[in-house]
């Protein structure tokens, strides 16, 4: 396990016309996305599935992999959407998905 890794950062990244904010202090990192739609664009969740593409064997869970990496580095990553925490990585054995994420995802189905 890494020890002594401390960060200090403030960064704004413009991506496809959206400002993504990254801030870090000590061992705590905050990544703030402006909306759930930006999160879907970044992760490819909004893309239609290709029915002709064969499904391979199910691989490891990417959320769990990110959580394990944060724990090994001794860091906590707080993923926020519109200023509300959606997922926290590195604070426990698995990623902690909040009620904000569940309600935000449900709400995105009703937005066209």
């Amino acid at each position: 396990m890494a020890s002594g890794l401390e960060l200090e950062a403030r960064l704004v990244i413009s991506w496809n016309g959206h400002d993504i904010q990254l801030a870090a202090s000590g061992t705590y990192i905050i990544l703030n996305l402006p909306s759930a739609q930006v999160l879907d664009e970044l992760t490819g969740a909004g893309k239609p599935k290709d029915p002709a593409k064969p499904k391979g064997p199910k691989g490891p869970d990417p959320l769990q992999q990110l959580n394990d990496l944060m724990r090994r580095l001794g860091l906590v990553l707080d993923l926020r959407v519109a200023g509300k925490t959606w997922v926290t990585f590195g604070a426990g054995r698995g990623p902690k998905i909040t009620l904000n994420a569940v309600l935000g995802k449900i709400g995105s189905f009703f937005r066209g």
Side-chain angles (χ1 to χ4, degrees):
M1 165 107 54
S3 64
L5 183 62
E6 300 256 338
L7 304 170
E8 287 296 327
R10 284 191 179 166
L11 179 65
V12 176
I13 303 165
S14 291
W15 181 78
N16 283 351
H18 303 286
D19 288 341
I20 299 171
Q21 303 166 345
L22 178 72
S25 181
T27 60
Y28 200 81
I29 303 167
I30 298 172
L31 179 63
N32 187 42
L33 305 173
S35 67
Q37 290 80 15
V38 173
L39 177 62
D40 287 345
E41 288 177 35
L42 282 171
T43 60
K47 294 181 181 176
K49 305 286 188 239
D50 183 5
K53 185 177 179 184
K55 291 185 180 181
K58 188 161 176 108
D61 180 14
L63 295 178
Q64 185 62 49
Q65 286 182 319
L66 182 56
N67 189 72
D68 293 343
L69 175 62
M70 290 294 109
R71 288 188 68 201
R72 276 196 300 270
L73 294 174
L75 301 172
V76 174
L77 172 63
D78 183 352
L79 174 63
R80 296 181 182 186
V81 175
K84 296 179 182 173
T85 298
W86 276 38
V87 185
T88 303
F89 298 96
R93 296 180 66 108
K96 294 184 179 170
I97 300 172
T98 67
L99 184 60
N100 289 326
V102 175
L103 294 177
K105 202 61 180 162
I106 291 171
S108 70
F109 288 122
F110 296 107
R111 287 184 278 251

